[in-house]
Amino acid sequence: MKKTLVAVAVALLTGCASEPKEPAAPPVDPNVAQARGITKNFADSLRSELTAGMQAGGPTNAIAVCKDKAPAIAKAEKDKSGWQKVGRTSLKLRNPSNEPDDWELAVLKKFDQRKAAGEDPAKIEYSEVVAAGGKKTFRYMKAIPTQEVCLACHGEKIDKATAAKRAKLYPKDKARGFKVGDLRGAFTMTKDL
């Protein structure tokens, strides 16, 4: 009996009899962590500018904010981070200068599949180290889910003034007809390793 009590006491003191612990989460790749931070800064800055634009002049003003300020925000994040590319892209482009390259196009299509399979669009991301020509590049993309506020410019029903402004600024616009929760596009980043 004493041996059993001693064994139990030793087990408790050494942790052998404790509840099983959850396995520790694997460490986050530093490049992924940095890309997430850049994405958050970009998204927060753009959201702030769009909110101010909407308050100042409604959706027609927000279109101009997106056209002029979004590229400036992307450039500021690129310059600050030292990454080679910081931007946005989509399967349904508004700005042709944001056209996805082959890698981005494949990832965007996978994002659509993941969303269709039930994955939360706000959590969809992908990263990969790509080797080409003896050079390694870290690539990262984070899905942009369509939110309610996006529908004023990207939804199915757009007021006439907003539609006219959109046609003037983006004559080849395809970024329309979205519903809340649809994948509007993705943030995309590239960093040479």
Side-chain angles (χ1 to χ4, degrees):
M1 180 78 167
K2 279 187 179 183
K3 287 183 182 181
T4 305
L5 290 175
V6 170
V8 170
V10 169
L12 288 172
L13 291 172
T14 61
C16 294
S18 62
E19 292 292 318
K21 294 181 181 179
E22 292 284 326
V28 175
D29 179 311
N31 291 315
V32 171
Q34 188 178 21
R36 287 175 178 165
I38 295 167
T39 300
K40 182 178 181 340
N41 291 343
F42 190 168
D44 289 349
S45 296
L46 184 55
R47 185 175 9 266
S48 176
E49 291 290 344
L50 285 169
T51 300
M54 288 285 279
Q55 290 171 348
T60 56
N61 196 43
I63 291 173
V65 167
C66 244
K67 183 175 186 327
D68 299 328
K69 302 236 176 166
I73 294 167
K75 183 178 181 329
E77 288 299 323
K78 177 183 166 293
D79 292 347
K80 184 171 58 174
S81 68
W83 286 50
Q84 283 63 47
K85 178 180 182 179
V86 174
R88 296 174 302 154
T89 190
S90 179
L91 293 173
K92 292 171 68 175
L93 292 171
R94 173 154 287 169
N95 185 343
S97 68
N98 293 339
E99 186 171 347
D101 63 24
D102 291 341
W103 185 89
E104 291 167 329
L105 183 62
V107 173
L108 286 167
K109 288 178 180 178
K110 287 178 188 174
F111 281 6
D112 269 349
Q113 292 169 352
R114 290 168 64 181
K115 182 191 174 296
E119 194 169 339
D120 179 355
K123 295 180 180 178
I124 296 176
E125 66 180 341
Y126 181 77
S127 64
E128 176 179 20
V129 174
V130 178
K135 179 177 159 185
K136 288 185 177 182
T137 304
F138 180 80
R139 302 210 59 184
Y140 174 86
M141 289 180 72
K142 171 82 171 93
I144 303 171
T146 303
Q147 299 176 13
E148 185 71 37
V149 68
C150 305
L151 300 181
C153 299
H154 294 283
E156 296 176 315
K157 297 177 184 176
I158 309 296
D159 68 59
K160 288 183 182 183
T162 303
K165 179 83 171 227
R166 182 179 66 189
K168 180 180 177 186
L169 294 177
Y170 297 105
K172 296 182 179 184
D173 175 47
K174 295 179 183 168
R176 51 177 91 180
F178 288 95
K179 296 178 184 123
V180 171
D182 286 347
L183 291 180
R184 169 64 194 92
F187 292 100
T188 181
M189 289 165 219
T190 302
K191 176 183 180 180
D192 290 340
L193 298 177

